[in-house]
Amino acid sequence: MNHDVVVVGGNRVPFTKGGTHYAEASNHDLLTAAIDGLVARYGLAGTRLDEVAGGAVLKHANDFNLTREVVLSSALAPETPAVDLQQACATGLETTMYIANKIALGQARVGIAAGVDSTSDAPIAVSDSLRRILHAASGARTAKDRIGILAKIRPSHLAPVPPRVSEPRTGLTMGEHQAITTKRWGVTREQQDEIAVASHRNLARAWDEGFFDDLVTPYLSLARDGIMRPDSSMEKLAKLKPAFGGPEGTMTAGNSTALSDGAAAVLLASAEYAEENHLPVLARVVDAEVAAVDHPGGSDLLMAPVGATGRLLARQGLTVDDFALVEIHEAFAATVVATLKAWEDADYCRSLGLDGPIGTLDTSRLNVNGSSLATGHPFAATGARIVPSLAKMLAARGPGSKGLISVCAAGGQGVVAILEAV
Amino acid sequence: MKVIEKAYYSPVGKKVAAKAGLSEPPRLRRGRDYPRGPVVLAAPAGSTLVAEALELLGRTSESPVLDTGGDKAPGYGDRIGAVVLDATGLTDLTQLEELRQVLRPAMRAIEGSGRVIIVGSSPEGDWERLALTQALDGINRTVAKELRKGATSNLVYVDPDVTAVDLLPTLAFLLEGRSAFVDGQAWTVRAAGLEEADTVGGPAERPLAGLTIAVTGAARGIGEAIARTLARDGAEIIAIDIPPAGEALANVANDIGGVALQLDITAPDAGERIAALVAGRGGSLHGIVHNAGVTRDKMLANLDQKKWAQVLDINLAAQLRINKVLLDPATQGGLVDGGRIVGVSSMVGFGGNAGQTNYAASKAGVIGLVRAMAPDLAARGITINAVAPGFIETEMTQLIPFVKREVMRRTNSLDQGGKPVDVAETIGYFLDPRAAGVTGQVIRVCGQNLMGQ
Ligand SMILES: NC(=O)c1ccc[n+]([C@@H]2O[C@H](COP(=O)([O-])OP(=O)(O)OC[C@H]3O[C@@H](n4cnc5c(N)ncnc54)[C@H](O)[C@@H]3O)[C@@H](O)[C@H]2O)c1
């Protein structure tokens, strides 16, 4: 890389359960709020940035230029260009790498990477048959023809079709896929519930310590993450019924992420730009890797980050022990457990083409200020939530401290990245 | 709006109110506008101080019409904008007659939002001079009460070696609309040794250009107005408020091109965090405005330890801690020599108020802090002053029940509540680098409210 890319800081709105506090807010509203908070934190009002990359997983057709429209609604200079990207749940990490790579190549000096999702405002499509009738009607030559065509509409055509939450090639939902993985890797209910409790407690402690004072800006009078349960406990979680994997299943609503609303943004710059413009510097973006698995062929849908991690560490000549902190996105608590088991499994790692096991993680370094179970997981926002939080934690540990981010995504994909405090 | 409030503002209600003597309050002249009519200057003892200051301001003046006896007081043919009385150098009580001669014809001639400005010598000298100095205060307060239609009267005491340059920002502030809600007040200007070059171009439109100023409690209300007003005058604002107020804070910061800092000022490291932000941005801190404040009202018989401690910590102790850090020369990003500290007290700090022991203690404490620190900071050219707002129209005061609120906003000489910008403008005056001679002062922005001294 020609230019050092640094994380200046970030901002997000508090995340919360879909259909609750942000029920009336659109992706556009949420992302504008996240970016405006970032702009205010770093005094960027009226500044022209080189580019803003953002995205949403659940997106309305007329939001094709979502991020650019958000820029125009924001306090940034209207001359700031923007791009929409999407890589399912890894979108926020992928937008980070998109901007980082441009900065590294010298194509940009400063930019924002972001992600947003609103399950409250998810687009609802009309049925295929209704769509065909409507298209035909709009193509009709005369009013009479049009009425004739529209007369074909039946009540059954009017039922809205919510966005598909299942994998197109397997017909299974993500939870059902994870349930297969959970069983295959022998992940227990206790392991999952422990992760969920830790997530809530760590997040609550971080809030109480003021960790998020310069990472989150309240939105619509919501000042803290709405899903967080500081009083979460093993006893309470043990009472929940299985949600996936049948009656014997170990996955519950308590150890699976909730459908969430939220937006997050990261300010990235070249080291020179940050210095010239007196911007703080938390960490350097070191490297990243994306991977996919053949889930239609039977591979574990949410385990693609394992292969990406192995290849990334090999390329950087690093081992698991070199990381002061590790952030593994908690799509489900079981995803985290299975991922860590896979890291230790020599045969599995070799099957991915790696030389051997990735290693064993000291879990005291894992998700130390909570992760998606407690915070929530507005799909595209999660990567952009993790990057600035991790960068801040690394900066507090001192120069040279390294952190690893691992995010799984629908379609059997995954993105991992390395940050290092400067 | 409650029924009674609606009725009050209805056409019939307005007529009834007018009959009861509750007329529409006058609209005050605000901003940088000068009075429309001419400025009349009188200097009975022959002092040229005010004349020179007016000249530096680029304002012309006229001679006064004097009431030198006769049955009927002579009048001005037309409205006059202001009467400035240079009473410096008066030595004996009989000379007060000369003030009467100037003021009597002026009282009926002063335009709406016009000004009476009395400039007197600071208390010094023999018994008679000291008595005379105090007499000026009585005249000022009474003239302020007698003036109508938003006209105000204020008194400025000047130390013996004060120059026209030292007086200039004060005179400009008083003549302009910026002092709209400051009425019946007296404060002192000291010699600051500024050069005429420091006043280049007269009263600059943007006296704070390029200066970094931190404002606490900037998310809403008076703090928001302070941030906006100082930004209008060119300042780069660090807007501070508690994290839960971050949404409004970000909007304010973005509107004025400032920086938002989500920070509870009672955090033990609050001062360090403000300084670190300033240092990180490669700047230095010109001023800090301690505006953040809360009320937790209870009659003392019901006031618990928590409500007591909270109010005193936020309104008083926090700013003392922050000041100490920012004044430490070792603090990177601390206050520069020649910097400014401004506190926000309250008229309750002077008058006390039932149900507000904690608040009154904190706001009186702010006054004490200003007076205590000013002499100690003088050597570094740092000034510390405070405003003491009266009834100001904010979301907070909007919550007061209508009848009580109406009484509160009317019990002053201007017959109305002040606006947040009125407080902000006074703070802007303190922060002006040219106001170096103004320190240790507490200016009430209360329209001469009846409460307190
Ligand atoms: N409104 C009036 O009539 C009036 C009269 C006299 C004095 N005052 C004083 O003026 C100041 C502003 O008053 P206002 O009417 O705008 O009140 P307000 O309540 O509208 O605003 C006060 C701001 O201070 C912030 N704040 C409170 N505690 C804080 C803390 N610990 N750290 C950081 N920020 C904090 C609040 O979040 C709020 O945004 C206060 O000091 C008040 O006592 C007001």
Side-chain angles (χ1 to χ4, degrees):
Chain A
M1 300 216 204
N2 303 329
H3 299 271
D4 265 355
V5 184
V6 294
V7 177
V8 173
N11 184 59
R12 64 180 178 89
V13 299
F15 292 173
T16 192
K17 216 182 209 98
T20 61
H21 203 87
Y22 300 150
E24 304 297 318
S26 64
N27 278 337
H28 182 109
D29 300 335
L30 289 162
L31 188 53
T32 304
I35 287 179
D36 273 347
L38 187 65
V39 167
R41 184 160 301 135
Y42 297 101
L44 300 175
T47 305
R48 184 187 66 79
L49 302 185
D50 292 327
E51 196 167 9
V52 177
V57 172
L58 302 174
K59 209 163 145 183
H60 290 269
N62 54 8
D63 269 348
F64 63 91
N65 237 345
L66 173 67
T67 311
R68 170 66 184 145
E69 292 301 327
V70 163
V71 165
L72 289 172
S73 294
S74 78
L76 288 169
E79 292 82 9
T80 301
V83 64
D84 272 39
L85 299 176
Q86 196 194 77
Q87 196 170 44
C89 305
T91 301
L93 192 52
E94 195 50 38
T95 55
T96 300
M97 293 317 302
Y98 171 93
I99 294 289
N101 291 343
K102 281 201 172 190
I103 293 171
L105 288 172
Q107 294 172 357
R109 302 189 75 210
V110 60
I112 290 175
V116 57
D117 258 295
S118 165
T119 52
S120 303
D121 186 36
I124 297 215
V126 296
S127 63
D128 284 351
S129 43
L130 178 57
R131 188 172 58 240
R132 274 193 292 274
I133 294 170
L134 292 174
H135 278 306
S138 72
R141 288 177 187 218
T142 69
K144 192 165 165 260
D145 288 353
R146 198 168 300 132
I147 289 164
I149 295 170
L150 290 175
K152 290 184 196 156
I153 296 175
R154 297 284 166 267
S156 66
H157 290 150
L158 298 176
V161 183
R164 242 207 300 251
V165 290
S166 56
E167 284 291 324
R169 283 169 193 276
T170 61
L172 300 179
T173 64
M174 199 160 282
E176 287 161 350
H177 265 289
Q178 178 60 48
I180 297 169
T181 302
T182 303
K183 204 162 172 210
R184 185 181 288 163
W185 288 88
V187 182
T188 67
R189 172 80 180 255
E190 282 70 46
Q191 285 172 317
Q192 294 174 56
D193 286 353
E194 270 166 20
I195 286 195
V197 170
S199 190
H200 285 280
R201 293 204 180 148
N202 286 334
L203 183 73
R205 178 194 29 78
W207 270 108
D208 289 344
E209 288 170 358
F211 177 74
F212 293 109
D213 284 358
D214 58 357
L215 290 169
V216 179
T217 304
Y219 181 53
L220 299 181
S221 304
L222 183 65
R224 287 191 176 198
D225 296 312
I227 292 167
M228 177 172 77
R229 293 285 166 268
D231 57 352
S232 167
S233 69
M234 292 298 281
E235 297 72 46
K236 282 183 187 162
L237 287 178
K239 291 193 185 116
L240 299 174
K241 294 207 173 56
F244 304 103
E248 300 303 304
T250 54
M251 294 168 58
T252 67
N255 57 40
S256 309
T257 51
L259 287 178
S260 322
D261 296 347
V266 192
L267 182 60
L268 298 156
S270 67
E272 308 89 70
Y273 182 95
E275 194 182 327
E276 282 166 25
N277 292 279
H278 302 290
L279 292 170
V281 167
L282 297 175
R284 191 167 70 85
V285 178
V286 177
D287 200 356
E289 175 94 6
V290 58
V293 295
D294 179 17
H295 65 284
S299 295
D300 295 298
L301 179 82
L302 299 178
M303 302 274 273
V306 177
T309 302
R311 293 204 289 274
L312 180 62
L313 297 200
R315 176 163 72 236
Q316 289 291 330
L318 295 171
T319 70
V320 172
D321 292 335
D322 292 323
F323 293 97
L325 295 167
V326 172
E327 290 284 321
I328 301 181
H329 158 51
E330 296 167 339
F332 302 89
T335 317
V336 178
V337 181
T339 299
L340 292 179
K341 286 188 172 221
W343 281 14
E344 296 171 347
D345 190 311
D347 292 340
Y348 181 80
C349 288
R350 281 200 197 93
S351 78
L352 299 172
L354 305 175
D355 287 343
I358 292 169
T360 302
L361 179 70
D362 165 4
T363 50
S364 69
R365 302 175 182 186
L366 175 67
N367 298 345
V368 295
N369 282 340
S371 181
S372 304
L373 286 170
T375 318
H377 171 44
F379 309 120
T382 290
R385 163 184 73 78
I386 296 173
V387 170
S389 284
L390 177 63
K392 180 177 172 178
M393 289 186 266
L394 292 172
R397 276 173 173 71
S401 308
K402 290 185 188 58
L404 179 72
I405 303 171
S406 167
V407 179
C408 59
Q413 307 207 81
V415 181
V416 297
I418 297 173
L419 304 181
E420 181 185 310
V422 287
Chain B
M1 255 194 227
K2 295 274 167 48
V3 180
I4 179 165
E5 190 169 0
K6 271 198 190 128
Y8 182 81
Y9 285 114
S10 71
V12 178
K14 279 188 182 168
K15 268 189 204 145
V16 175
K19 285 223 172 101
L22 290 173
S23 51
E24 280 280 296
R27 234 186 122 81
L28 305 182
R29 168 169 57 89
R30 290 190 160 87
R32 292 196 178 275
D33 290 348
Y34 274 85
R36 266 185 304 163
V39 174
V40 171
L41 172 64
S47 161
T48 57
L49 176 69
V50 176
E52 287 167 35
L54 276 174
E55 198 170 317
L56 283 176
L57 278 175
R59 312 303 303 183
T60 55
S61 60
E62 294 185 359
S63 305
V65 169
L66 296 179
D67 171 34
T68 47
D71 300 339
K72 244 180 105 217
Y76 287 84
D78 218 336
R79 292 268 160 216
I80 57 172
V83 175
V84 190
L85 264 166
D86 186 341
T88 55
L90 296 189
T91 49
D92 53 271
L93 289 170
T94 55
Q95 289 175 298
L96 289 173
E97 159 61 14
E98 300 186 38
L99 303 192
R100 191 201 63 79
Q101 289 181 9
V102 175
L103 287 170
R104 186 181 179 198
M107 289 306 283
R108 280 192 218 283
I110 285 179
E111 68 184 28
S113 288
R115 297 285 188 263
V116 171
I117 301 167
I118 305 171
V119 180
S121 299
S122 292
E124 205 165 280
D126 58 19
W127 293 344
E128 184 162 2
R129 281 186 69 167
L130 290 172
L132 185 139
T133 306
Q134 196 64 33
L136 295 180
D137 191 46
I139 295 171
N140 174 52
R141 286 170 188 255
T142 308
V143 169
K145 288 185 180 179
E146 288 189 8
L147 286 171
R148 291 280 164 263
K149 298 198 188 88
T152 64
S153 177
N154 289 289
L155 169 60
V156 182
Y157 289 116
V158 294
D159 279 1
D161 38 1
V162 159
T163 65
V165 176
D166 296 328
L167 186 59
L168 173 123
T170 302
L171 198 58
F173 171 69
L174 283 171
L175 284 170
E176 289 175 19
R178 287 185 288 146
S179 61
F181 205 59
V182 177
D183 195 11
Q185 302 306 301
W187 68 91
T188 301
V189 174
R190 296 178 209 290
L194 291 184
E195 301 292 322
E196 192 167 331
D198 297 323
T199 69
V200 171
E205 288 282 306
R206 290 165 61 82
L208 306 177
L211 300 175
T212 300
I213 297 170
V215 180
T216 70
R220 65 174 207 187
I222 294 172
E224 174 182 353
I226 295 168
R228 289 184 189 278
T229 304
L230 303 183
R232 178 205 67 190
D233 287 355
E236 290 175 16
I237 300 297
I238 296 181
I240 300 169
D241 213 300
I242 49 173
E247 184 178 0
L249 185 72
N251 290 336
V252 172
N254 285 343
D255 266 5
I256 61 175
V259 176
L261 175 60
Q262 299 187 154
L263 170 72
D264 185 330
I265 55 160
T266 62
D269 61 346
E272 284 85 357
R273 281 167 65 187
I274 296 167
L277 179 62
V278 174
R281 294 180 59 79
S284 52
L285 194 63
H286 170 70
I288 180 158
V289 182
H290 296 292
N291 161 78
V294 297
T295 53
R296 297 283 182 270
D297 299 354
K298 283 276 177 215
M299 297 302 270
L300 190 48
N302 303 317
L303 186 60
D304 62 23
Q305 189 267 344
K306 191 176 163 204
K307 289 197 173 67
W308 182 264
Q310 223 175 11
V311 169
L312 277 162
D313 198 34
I314 296 173
N315 294 6
L316 180 58
Q319 58 185 281
L320 176 58
R321 286 195 297 269
I322 291 171
N323 287 347
K324 281 183 180 164
V325 174
L326 296 181
L327 286 168
D328 182 346
T331 304
Q332 292 265 328
L335 274 169
V336 294
D337 285 359
R340 301 278 182 268
I341 301 173
V342 183
V344 176
S345 177
S346 164
M347 64 178 173
V348 173
F350 286 101
N353 195 25
Q356 293 197 305
T357 347
N358 48 1
Y359 187 73
S362 72
K363 294 300 185 181
V366 169
I367 298 168
L369 200 57
V370 163
R371 291 179 181 160
M373 289 179 69
D376 295 344
L377 301 181
R380 292 170 63 185
I382 296 173
T383 72
I384 175 166
N385 299 284
V387 290
F391 182 89
I392 304 295
E393 307 282 358
T394 63
E395 275 173 57
M396 193 173 88
T397 52
Q398 202 61 34
L399 297 178
I400 300 170
F402 171 69
V403 174
K404 191 173 173 201
R405 173 162 30 109
E406 194 56 29
V407 170
M408 286 175 77
R409 61 159 68 106
R410 294 275 186 173
T411 43
N412 65 57
S413 301
L414 297 174
D415 211 21
Q416 59 192 297
K419 293 189 177 181
V421 70
D422 299 328
V423 181
E425 296 280 23
T426 306
I427 289 171
Y429 155 64
F430 288 142
L431 285 159
D432 188 334
R434 298 167 306 165
V438 184
T439 188
Q441 306 303 305
V442 180
I443 298 182
R444 290 179 51 147
V445 185
C446 65
Q448 199 178 27
N449 197 289
L450 294 179
M451 181 191 271
Q453 295 170 328

